[in-house]
Amino acid sequence: MAATALVSLSAGSVLAEQTEIRFGWWGNEARAANTLKVIEMFEEKYPDITVKAEYSGYNGYQTRLSTQFAGGAEPDISQVLLAWLPLFSKDGDGFYDINDVSDTIDLSQFPQSTLDQVTINGRLQGVPVGSTGFLFVWNKVPWEEAGLDYPETWDELFEDAGLMRERLGEDYYPIDPTIQGSILISLSWAMQKYNVNFVDPNKPEIAMSEEQIADWLSFFKRLEDEHVMVSIKDRIALGGAEKPTTEMSEWVEGKWGGIYSQDATLTSRGDTLPDGLDQLDVGPYVMIPGAETTGMMSRTGFVYSISKNSEHPEAAAKFINYLTTDPDVARVIGVSRAIPASKAQWDVLVSENLIPPIQVEGTDQITELTEAGLVPKFSLYFEHPLMYRLLYDTFEQLSFGKITPEQGAESLMKKGNRILSKL
């Protein structure tokens, strides 16, 4: 009996042993605080698993993670930007395949289109944390002062720009885009016209022809020249091409009528307006009539990936499932880690009024367009730092009149393919 008791005690000790997993992420103080709270909640629910938090600010995070991966010392779970997936897992074998723990992680919570974005060679690289897409968000003041309705087509947008300028003055514009917005707005039009993306979504090469790229760049110049959007050149003169719209006095004073905004950051657009979010509307997505795609870039911002070297993938999967699908977690985190990609967490935020109505409206618009098959897949390489630098430089030179659209197209084709061939 004594021997049996000792064996039982020994077995109980084994069962009570803790499994420790490491979780690495970046974020500000608010994100750190609510994530640590969620870790406490998880450990209370699963007392046999301990989560060791490894977090920092964004600057230097990728470098540190790269060093850890090079030495095989990465965390069990890493927060990874979507654009980094090809850097860490070019052929899809850099991370643990989430499909292998699909009995633990409820993948049915996530739109298939979002899961497809984080799949390389059939291997699911991580679990999407949130989803975001770009919308036309309008500042009511100049539109009401000019007596104009929000545009639904590009022709209407150009017409409205002329009327707003005529009725209110030279310093009024329908849209302030920033450089990224300038690129994406004009690309949206080009994709609507040609139904082809700049970078092939399935392989690292330029998909557009040089003539199509030149047409895209010409349209960008037309948007600037016809006063539809604030030019990159003028933005630089006003304090910086990438200075947030909300920090520009023209936005606060109601002289700029809108912005091309991600739904995840939509609520911050009202921070400096006299009437806050009440001064903003989500408008229809501007389209070429009959287009087969919106050309909108909609993607998950970052994912939680499991290390292929993890000794505890099941425990890691259990924590990721809790972090991304549990309703109580949604109540703590809200949208501080972007708009939840999982249905369960999104439903909690909406049903309990934990998210502003305008953000619900914006996200619902993206969901409807996605379900209608009008939101295209973007290449993981499109947002690669080298590709973005090439695009930024090209559009800035166009805005200053240093190159023609044809010269820009030739450069994007040659340099873009050269960059992609090396990635």
Side-chain angles (χ1 to χ4, degrees), residues 179 183 198 213-214 216-217 220-221 224 232 386-413 415-416 419:
I179 291 186
I183 295 169
F198 173 54
I213 297 173
W216 164 26
L217 302 185
F220 156 74
K221 276 299 292 175
E224 286 197 343
I232 295 171
L386 293 177
M387 289 299 295
Y388 248 38
R389 185 71 267 160
L390 174 61
L391 286 165
Y392 273 47
D393 290 345
T394 301
F395 276 73
E396 185 173 311
Q397 290 181 68
L398 278 166
S399 185
F400 277 86
K402 294 181 177 180
I403 59 173
T404 65
E406 290 72 25
Q407 291 170 328
E410 181 181 5
S411 175
L412 286 179
M413 177 66 77
K415 293 180 181 179
I419 291 170

Side-chain angles (χ1 to χ4, degrees), residues 103-418:
D103 56 339
T104 301
I105 299 176
D106 184 6
L107 296 178
S108 68
Q109 290 286 334
F110 306 91
Q112 187 59 48
S113 59
T114 304
L115 296 175
D116 289 345
Q117 293 174 20
V118 297
T119 299
I120 300 176
N121 289 336
R123 296 172 61 86
L124 191 56
Q125 303 296 294
V127 176
V129 177
S131 238
T132 186
F134 284 80
L135 301 161
F136 289 91
V137 179
W138 305 114
N139 182 345
K140 298 176 183 179
V141 172
W143 293 92
E144 292 177 352
E145 290 179 351
L148 298 170
D149 294 327
Y150 301 134
E152 297 185 22
T153 69
W154 297 100
D155 287 342
E156 291 175 358
L157 179 57
F158 278 98
E159 182 180 356
D160 289 341
L163 291 171
M164 186 176 289
R165 187 179 184 185
E166 175 185 318
R167 296 173 183 178
L168 302 180
E170 290 289 322
D171 49 352
Y172 282 78
Y173 292 82
I175 302 174
D176 173 56
T178 71
I179 291 186
Q180 183 191 40
S182 297
I183 295 169
L184 294 179
I185 289 173
S186 53
L187 177 59
S188 178
W189 171 86
M191 291 178 66
Q192 290 176 22
K193 182 175 181 179
Y194 295 109
N195 199 24
V196 61
N197 210 325
F198 173 54
V199 180
D200 193 304
N202 300 310
K203 51 188 175 182
E205 65 181 38
I206 303 300
M208 284 184 172
S209 68
E210 193 170 316
E211 292 74 20
Q212 290 170 339
I213 297 173
D215 199 21
W216 164 26
L217 302 185
S218 295
F219 185 76
F220 156 74
K221 276 299 292 175
R222 185 186 169 204
L223 287 168
E224 286 197 343
D225 294 344
E226 296 190 25
H227 222 74
V228 172
M229 63 186 190
V230 183
S231 71
I232 295 171
K233 179 181 177 181
D234 287 344
R235 258 191 145 269
I236 291 174
L238 290 169
E242 286 301 294
K243 186 176 180 179
T245 298
T246 52
E247 296 179 12
M248 296 291 208
S249 61
E250 290 81 1
W251 171 255
V252 179
E253 295 167 4
K255 293 181 178 179
W256 291 350
I259 190 169
Y260 195 54
S261 173
Q262 297 180 69
D263 59 328
T265 58
L266 195 159
T267 54
S268 67
R269 306 308 184 186
D271 287 350
T272 56
L273 295 177
D275 294 326
L277 291 178
D278 291 338
Q279 200 169 316
L280 298 178
D281 281 327
V282 174
Y285 199 88
V286 179
M287 295 281 288
I288 295 174
E292 297 179 11
T293 178
T294 57
M296 172 206 296
M297 187 167 74
S298 175
R299 79 279 194 257
T300 184
F302 52 85
V303 301
Y304 294 138
S305 298
I306 298 177
S307 165
K308 67 177 182 180
N309 300 314
S310 175
E311 296 180 359
H312 309 290
E314 287 290 342
K318 190 173 290 187
F319 179 61
I320 289 176
N321 187 65
Y322 182 75
L323 193 58
T324 57
T325 68
D326 191 275
D328 287 335
V329 172
R331 295 182 180 100
V332 173
I333 290 181
V335 294
S336 66
R337 285 184 170 271
I339 292 175
S342 75
K343 185 177 185 304
Q345 292 191 339
W346 170 252
D347 287 347
V348 166
L349 296 182
V350 174
S351 64
E352 298 182 12
N353 298 316
L354 298 175
I355 188 169
I358 190 171
Q359 200 159 38
V360 176
E361 182 183 355
T363 301
D364 283 349
Q365 181 183 119
I366 294 169
T367 300
E368 291 170 7
L369 292 172
T370 300
E371 292 175 349
L374 292 170
V375 177
K377 181 181 179 181
F378 269 70
S379 169
L380 292 175
Y381 294 103
F382 178 77
E383 292 185 278
H384 189 281
L386 293 177
M387 289 299 295
Y388 248 38
R389 185 71 267 160
L390 174 61
L391 286 165
Y392 273 47
D393 290 345
T394 301
F395 276 73
E396 185 173 311
Q397 290 181 68
L398 278 166
S399 185
F400 277 86
K402 294 181 177 180
I403 59 173
T404 65
E406 290 72 25
Q407 291 170 328
E410 181 181 5
S411 175
L412 286 179
M413 177 66 77
K414 291 182 178 179
K415 293 180 181 179
N417 274 325
R418 189 180 306 130

